[in-house]
Amino acid sequence: MIPEQTEGNILAKEKIGTFAFFDIEHFLRKVLKNWYWFVLMFILGYAISFMYAKYYAQRIYASDLSLSISNSTASYFTPNQSINFIWGQSGNQDGIFLKKLLLSRTHNEYLVKKLDLYSNYSTKGTIKETYLDKNDSPVFLEIDKNHLQQVNYPITLIPKKGGKYEVILPDDGESTYLYTYVGEGFQVVSPYSRPKNKIIRVNEWYTSPNLRFKLVRNPENTPIGLDNIIISLSTINDAVNSIIRSIDVSFDKEISTIMIISKKGYNLNGTVNFLNMSVEELKKKRLLDQNQLDQNTAIYIKETLGKIRKKLDSSAEKLNNLKINEGLYDISNRDEKQLKEINDLEKTKAELILKINSLNTIRNSVASSNLENLISLSAAGIEDGLFTATVSELKALYAKRRELATIYQPNSEPMREINRLIDESRGKSVGSLRKYSSVFADQLQDINSNISNAESDLASYPEKQRKYLDVQRGYNMIEASYNALLTKQNETSIRVASNKSDISIIDPAKNLGQAPIAPNIPRAKSLIIGGLLIIPLFLILLRELLDNKIRNVKELVRVTKLPLLGVIGNNTNDTNLTVLEHPKSSISEAFRGIRANLRFLHKQDGGSKVILVTSSVGGEGKTYISINIASVLGLSGKKTILLGMDLRKPKIFGDFAIDNKYGISNYLTGEVEMEQIINKTRITGLDVATSGPIPPNPSELLMSDRNINFITELKKSYDFIIIDSPPVGLVADSFELMKHTDANVYVVRHEYTEKYMMKMIMDKNRSEEIKHIGLVYNDYYVKQGYGYGYGYGYGYGYGYGYFEEDKNYVEPRLVKIFNKLRSLFSRN
């Protein structure tokens, strides 16, 4: 119990420790002690997560569609790999363009307008609102697009008898900021009163300042019976953006021409129907576009063939005249190999010039906004997905401008913005063609250079022969152009005759009862339950971090380096006279241990001993400790006196039933003699001197010479003088009294004394201002049957029938189970 005062221990006084910031052991005990809060939070979390999953969580579904992209057709809307002719590149140009088209605003805006996807359908039960596919509703909402409409304004339809529906509008929320579906913008109107609810028939118009619509019966029979249908309008822009965000396009890892399109949504049928309709509309639109381009190309080739035919006839006539008039039918001794090389170069040049002319025609059509007569890039022998995309965008912008022109003035902001977008898109289109013009120009320059080199040897030919060769070469070039155009014409004719969409659906989107992809219900449940479980854990942790009380005996001894005299358990009795009233209790035994340990705090010289008992603040049990130390000393046959020197807060008189009319304060002021304040008790060897009435100057009285002489006089008559002194954390009286004591007992109360309060006594002990001080740990409490094995002198029972309290001992259930198992194994 008491560390020996060796040289090492004396040096240890210089190494005072600090209390731990966080006591993990006590924290875990608190968590176990408050287990019911965690059970309650778990039940509450489970209930909340159940309600969330059943009534509030909006399931998100996904469906997908796979298709194959064919490279057999070439147009702006079906790009293929012939871009490699110029750039030598490879890759899935068809798929990349198709992906951009599927995610483009143009395509999805077309679908939104065609399929009325700006109308959002749902139905509401008692708690939860469920999103519907349009085809799940028995009626469709058809709006008057020429009338201003309020968006994000729920329209509730209640089915009535006779195919009628009651239109119920919100009690408030009508807006003066209304949307026009023609101009796709908002307009401000004058304030109006709330539109009235009304019962209407199918195909009957409902008209109000902020709405105009009629109900159209769904041609399909809907198997779902709905008590209500809620329809909310959205802007075209919001509907398009919502669709684009919900679509994902990827490619098969093994076959790049196979595309997988998926869509997410709140309704599985809605995602399935949208994907199938989107691809079908895309196939129709692409087929229409490629037919138009091929027909334009066929017309262009036919017109070009007519012009070249005239040139070919004129060149043939010149060649015939030379043969007839000049008599030149052939050139003898000519270099056949050289002439063949020149002819091949000129044939290539003729084909290249045709491509350049076709490219210039395309560029002029784009620059002049004449996209209706645009021909296919295949006429120029090239394909380009970027150009295809920009032309598609440009076409959509022109259509948009024509639509806006019916509403807005030419110089209005919407018209200026659409013109800016058109100029930007046109610049991209023309810019993407410029690189091909540059490549063709370089190729033409190389061919001309090669022809010029080959012609250098023809200078030795006679003039007539050179003249004949020039005419013949001109004829061959025109003939090569003509033949090349005939080939293009045949290809275009075949394509026009056999045109079909280059998209083949492999697996259409289907409702196969797919499970929702979100929300992650198990994860949400874990988060809800875990979040609620963290609340009590956090509160306990916060309380532990803010709590600075001492609750660990080992840590107290380690930090303070002060000897521990004993640990007193929780006093469950109504009296402070534990040793006297309950001599067989564990607490009484603990005080006997303290009595035995006190001898280590002072020299055993046989004289009277003065022992002072103090603490940090009031309420830590120093008076209780003083009374029982004095009692146990008195019962041991030692003549003992207990002095109540806490003059500011007298207590002892009540426990011993003594009249406090006269006490130490009266004696120190000279009002009474010593014999008048000393009172006998039931214990033969124990006397008590109470504090008396509270004086106006307690500090001066305690530090007076009369008080010191008083203690000196008592030492002549008593073996032990126990002083119940004031708390050192509040007043300095006790420190002055300690100069005249033989031993000092410092009381620390379990889970009551603050850690920082120990600093003062630790510092004074280290500086040797006070000596012979020991600790008593008071009011320590553990659950019955577990104990705290620290050593002799701990005031609580263990359940073994040794102490008085053990008669009420009830063995804990876990201990019973453990003992039962141990007995079973010991038998085996």
Side-chain angles (χ1 to χ4, degrees):
M1 286 293 294
I2 305 294
E4 297 181 7
Q5 297 296 318
T6 63
E7 182 181 354
N9 287 332
I10 294 173
L11 293 175
K13 291 181 180 180
E14 302 299 324
K15 300 178 181 179
I16 303 299
T18 57
F19 288 96
F21 175 72
F22 180 71
D23 189 345
I24 182 65
E25 182 181 352
H26 186 266
F27 171 71
L28 294 177
R29 285 203 196 106
K30 281 289 185 182
V31 170
L32 293 175
K33 183 179 179 181
N34 293 277
W35 61 269
Y36 49 87
W37 282 112
F38 293 92
V39 173
L40 178 63
M41 287 298 162
F42 178 84
I43 295 173
L44 180 62
Y46 185 84
I48 292 174
S49 61
F50 177 80
M51 294 292 291
Y52 166 76
K54 187 171 181 64
Y55 298 108
Y56 293 98
Q58 289 292 351
R59 268 68 171 180
I60 299 177
Y61 298 87
S63 57
D64 55 65
L65 177 149
S66 60
L67 53 84
S68 174
I69 310 159
S70 170
N71 291 327
S72 61
T73 311
S75 75
Y76 293 124
F77 300 93
T78 55
N80 61 24
Q81 307 298 334
S82 53
I83 188 173
N84 304 337
F85 170 75
I86 294 178
W87 298 107
Q89 296 176 344
S90 62
N92 186 14
Q93 295 291 328
D94 297 328
I96 292 173
F97 169 69
L98 187 56
K99 176 179 178 179
K100 290 184 178 294
L101 189 58
L102 284 167
L103 297 176
S104 69
R105 179 177 182 83
T106 303
H107 174 68
N108 289 288
E109 184 174 329
Y110 171 78
L111 288 173
V112 166
K113 292 179 178 179
K114 180 178 177 62
L115 305 174
D116 295 340
L117 298 180
Y118 44 77
S119 300
N120 305 298
Y121 294 76
S122 64
T123 185
K124 188 171 184 179
T126 306
I127 299 177
K128 184 179 179 181
E129 184 173 349
T130 303
Y131 292 90
L132 300 173
D133 178 53
K134 177 181 178 180
N135 292 321
D136 293 333
S137 174
V139 290
F140 301 151
L141 188 78
E142 182 179 316
I143 65 171
D144 181 358
K145 295 183 179 180
N146 294 315
H147 190 279
L148 295 175
Q149 309 283 351
Q150 182 171 346
V151 296
N152 302 318
Y153 187 65
I155 305 166
T156 303
L157 305 177
I158 306 296
K160 299 293 181 180
K161 294 181 179 180
K164 298 179 181 179
Y165 289 86
E166 182 181 4
V167 179
I168 300 177
L169 301 178
D171 293 334
D172 53 20
E174 54 275 2
S175 174
T176 57
Y177 198 54
L178 304 181
Y179 184 75
T180 168
Y181 281 89
V182 177
E184 296 181 23
F186 287 90
Q187 295 182 16
V188 178
V189 299
S190 301
Y192 54 91
S193 19
R194 175 190 175 276
K196 295 181 179 180
N197 300 338
K198 183 180 179 182
I199 296 178
I200 61 173
R201 298 178 180 273
V202 174
N203 294 320
E204 178 183 347
W205 286 99
Y206 175 91
T207 305
S208 69
N210 60 340
L211 293 169
R212 178 170 167 78
F213 62 86
K214 68 178 180 179
L215 302 179
V216 179
R217 192 174 300 283
N218 186 345
E220 302 291 334
N221 292 324
T222 56
I224 305 175
L226 301 174
D227 295 330
N228 59 77
I229 304 135
I230 303 172
I231 305 174
S232 179
L233 301 176
S234 64
T235 66
I236 298 293
N237 184 60
D238 289 345
V240 171
N241 290 337
S242 176
I243 289 173
I244 292 174
R245 286 194 300 268
S246 66
I247 299 175
D248 181 70
V249 180
S250 59
F251 297 95
D252 187 85
K253 295 181 179 179
E254 297 179 354
I255 305 175
S256 61
T257 55
I258 293 179
M259 179 182 292
I260 302 169
I261 312 164
S262 62
K263 186 182 186 303
K264 295 180 290 186
Y266 292 115
N267 183 275
L268 182 57
N269 285 331
T271 62
V272 169
N273 294 336
F274 176 84
L275 284 180
N276 291 329
M277 288 187 292
S278 176
V279 173
E280 286 299 325
E281 292 297 328
L282 183 63
K283 288 174 64 176
K284 295 176 184 177
K285 188 172 183 296
R286 284 165 62 84
L287 184 59
L288 180 65
D289 288 333
Q290 72 187 38
N291 280 337
Q292 180 183 350
L293 289 172
D294 288 335
Q295 289 169 1
N296 290 344
T297 305
I299 295 172
Y300 167 78
I301 292 175
K302 182 178 180 180
E303 292 175 351
T304 307
L305 275 173
K307 295 176 183 178
I308 294 180
R309 179 67 189 182
K310 293 179 181 179
K311 293 181 180 180
L312 185 62
D313 291 342
S314 176
S315 180
E317 185 178 352
K318 289 183 181 179
L319 187 60
N320 288 331
N321 287 336
L322 283 177
K323 291 179 179 180
I324 296 172
N325 298 329
E326 303 291 338
L328 296 175
Y329 292 93
D330 198 358
I331 300 176
S332 59
N333 301 323
R334 61 184 179 181
D335 189 344
E336 295 291 341
K337 182 178 179 181
Q338 186 180 32
L339 290 176
K340 185 177 183 305
E341 180 182 355
I342 293 174
N343 286 334
D344 290 341
L345 287 171
E346 290 180 337
K347 181 180 179 181
T348 304
K349 179 180 178 179
E351 293 175 353
L352 186 59
I353 291 173
L354 279 177
K355 293 178 181 179
I356 292 173
N357 291 336
S358 298
L359 187 62
N360 290 335
T361 301
I362 295 169
R363 186 161 57 184
N364 292 336
S365 296
V366 173
S368 63
S369 306
N370 187 19
L371 297 183
E372 298 302 323
N373 297 321
L374 195 64
I375 65 172
S376 173
L377 264 181
S378 60
I382 55 177
E383 303 295 339
D384 187 343
L386 176 61
F387 177 74
T388 303
T390 54
V391 168
S392 177
E393 179 183 0
L394 193 57
K395 278 185 150 185
L397 289 172
Y398 282 139
K400 188 72 173 178
R401 184 170 67 176
R402 288 193 296 270
E403 190 176 310
L404 292 177
T406 62
I407 305 170
Y408 298 103
Q409 296 296 324
N411 293 326
S412 63
E413 181 60 30
M415 293 302 295
R416 286 200 298 269
E417 176 63 17
I418 195 68
N419 288 331
R420 184 190 67 77
L421 293 175
I422 287 174
D423 291 339
E424 182 180 314
S425 180
R426 187 162 50 206
K428 291 179 183 178
S429 301
V430 174
S432 63
L433 295 179
R434 194 173 293 118
K435 60 186 177 184
Y436 298 110
S437 297
S438 177
V439 172
F440 286 153
D442 291 341
Q443 290 179 350
L444 184 60
Q445 184 178 354
D446 291 341
I447 292 174
N448 287 332
S449 177
N450 292 334
I451 292 175
S452 180
N453 293 334
E455 285 179 339
S456 60
D457 294 334
L458 298 180
S460 60
Y461 279 45
E463 182 180 353
K464 286 185 177 182
Q465 290 184 356
R466 288 201 308 273
K467 183 177 180 181
Y468 178 81
L469 284 174
D470 289 339
V471 175
Q472 188 181 44
R473 286 166 54 194
Y475 176 82
N476 290 339
M477 281 188 64
I478 297 172
E479 185 181 34
S481 299
Y482 188 78
N483 291 334
L485 278 175
L486 284 176
T487 302
K488 288 287 184 184
Q489 186 180 47
N490 290 333
E491 292 175 356
T492 304
S493 298
I494 294 172
R495 193 160 56 239
V496 169
S498 60
N499 254 348
K500 61 179 181 179
S501 176
D502 58 341
I503 299 175
S504 300
I505 298 177
I506 300 175
D507 289 319
K510 288 184 179 180
N511 183 347
L512 302 175
Q514 297 95 316
I517 61 170
N520 189 332
I521 299 298
R523 182 172 178 269
K525 286 184 177 180
S526 300
L527 289 175
I528 293 172
I529 295 174
L532 288 175
L533 289 175
I534 286 175
I535 293 175
L537 188 68
F538 173 77
L539 293 176
I540 295 172
L541 176 62
L542 183 63
R543 185 176 178 182
E544 286 295 302
L545 294 176
L546 297 177
D547 187 4
N548 198 36
K549 294 180 174 58
I550 296 173
R551 53 174 54 91
N552 190 306
V553 180
K554 290 182 179 180
E555 184 183 28
L556 175 66
V557 175
R558 176 182 60 80
V559 172
T560 61
K561 307 299 183 187
L562 297 175
L564 179 66
L565 300 176
V567 177
I568 305 300
N570 176 253
N571 180 24
T572 58
N573 302 308
D574 296 333
T575 177
N576 283 335
L577 304 176
T578 303
V579 172
L580 184 61
E581 300 291 343
H582 304 280
K584 292 185 179 181
S585 67
S586 60
I587 294 179
S588 297
E589 189 62 31
F591 278 110
R592 295 184 187 102
I594 293 173
R595 178 186 64 190
N597 289 327
L598 278 172
R599 69 180 184 272
F600 293 104
L601 287 181
H602 53 80
K603 294 181 180 179
Q604 302 296 319
D605 54 8
S608 298
K609 305 302 175 187
V610 180
I611 301 173
L612 181 141
V613 180
T614 187
S615 63
S616 301
V617 293
E620 292 175 313
K622 64 176 180 58
T623 300
Y624 172 68
I625 300 298
S626 301
I627 291 173
N628 286 282
I629 289 177
S631 298
V632 80
L633 287 170
L635 289 170
S636 67
K638 301 294 182 179
K639 192 167 178 58
T640 307
I641 185 169
L642 174 61
L643 304 180
M645 286 194 175
D646 189 355
L647 303 183
R648 294 175 177 81
K649 196 173 182 181
K651 285 186 179 179
I652 295 175
F653 65 91
D655 296 297
F656 288 97
I658 297 172
D659 187 1
N660 195 42
K661 182 177 180 181
Y662 297 106
I664 293 174
S665 62
N666 303 100
Y667 171 76
L668 295 179
T669 58
E671 298 177 35
V672 295
E673 297 298 325
M674 183 187 301
E675 292 75 12
Q676 293 180 261
I677 65 171
I678 297 176
N679 303 279
K680 298 296 182 178
T681 66
R682 287 186 292 169
I683 302 174
T684 304
L686 176 62
D687 294 337
V688 175
T690 62
S691 57
I694 300 174
N697 55 343
S699 295
E700 288 75 7
L701 293 178
L702 290 176
M703 291 185 290
S704 66
D705 293 336
R706 185 174 176 83
N707 188 33
I708 304 304
N709 294 332
F710 173 58
I711 296 173
T712 303
E713 286 296 320
L714 290 175
K715 292 173 70 174
K716 297 176 182 178
S717 305
Y718 293 94
D719 297 320
F720 286 95
I721 301 169
I722 309 300
I723 300 175
D724 178 24
S725 68
V728 296
L730 301 178
V731 293
D733 303 347
S734 296
F735 288 126
E736 292 299 324
L737 291 175
M738 286 179 184
K739 296 177 182 179
H740 308 283
T741 60
D742 298 298
N744 302 290
V745 176
Y746 196 91
V747 179
V748 176
R749 185 175 177 181
H750 177 63
E751 294 188 346
Y752 185 89
T753 304
E754 301 282 351
K755 292 178 180 178
Y756 71 88
M757 293 179 179
M758 300 300 300
K759 187 177 186 306
M760 181 187 300
I761 198 71
M762 290 161 58
D763 290 341
K764 288 188 176 293
N765 181 63
R766 181 173 57 178
S767 63
E768 298 187 350
E769 292 183 42
I770 56 174
K771 299 179 181 180
H772 310 304
I773 186 168
L775 300 175
V776 170
Y777 197 74
N778 185 33
D779 199 29
Y780 186 74
Y781 172 78
V782 291
K783 288 187 177 180
Q784 187 181 30
Y786 286 90
Y788 192 90
Y790 189 84
Y792 180 78
Y794 285 60
Y796 38 87
Y798 289 81
Y800 297 117
Y802 189 78
F803 298 111
E804 182 180 284
E805 302 95 316
D806 292 335
K807 63 184 179 182
N808 298 320
Y809 173 74
V810 178
E811 190 175 49
R813 184 173 298 175
L814 288 177
V815 176
K816 285 183 180 179
I817 295 173
F818 176 77
N819 291 336
K820 185 68 175 177
L821 291 174
R822 186 171 58 179
S823 64
L824 289 174
F825 282 111
S826 62
R827 291 176 186 174
N828 297 330

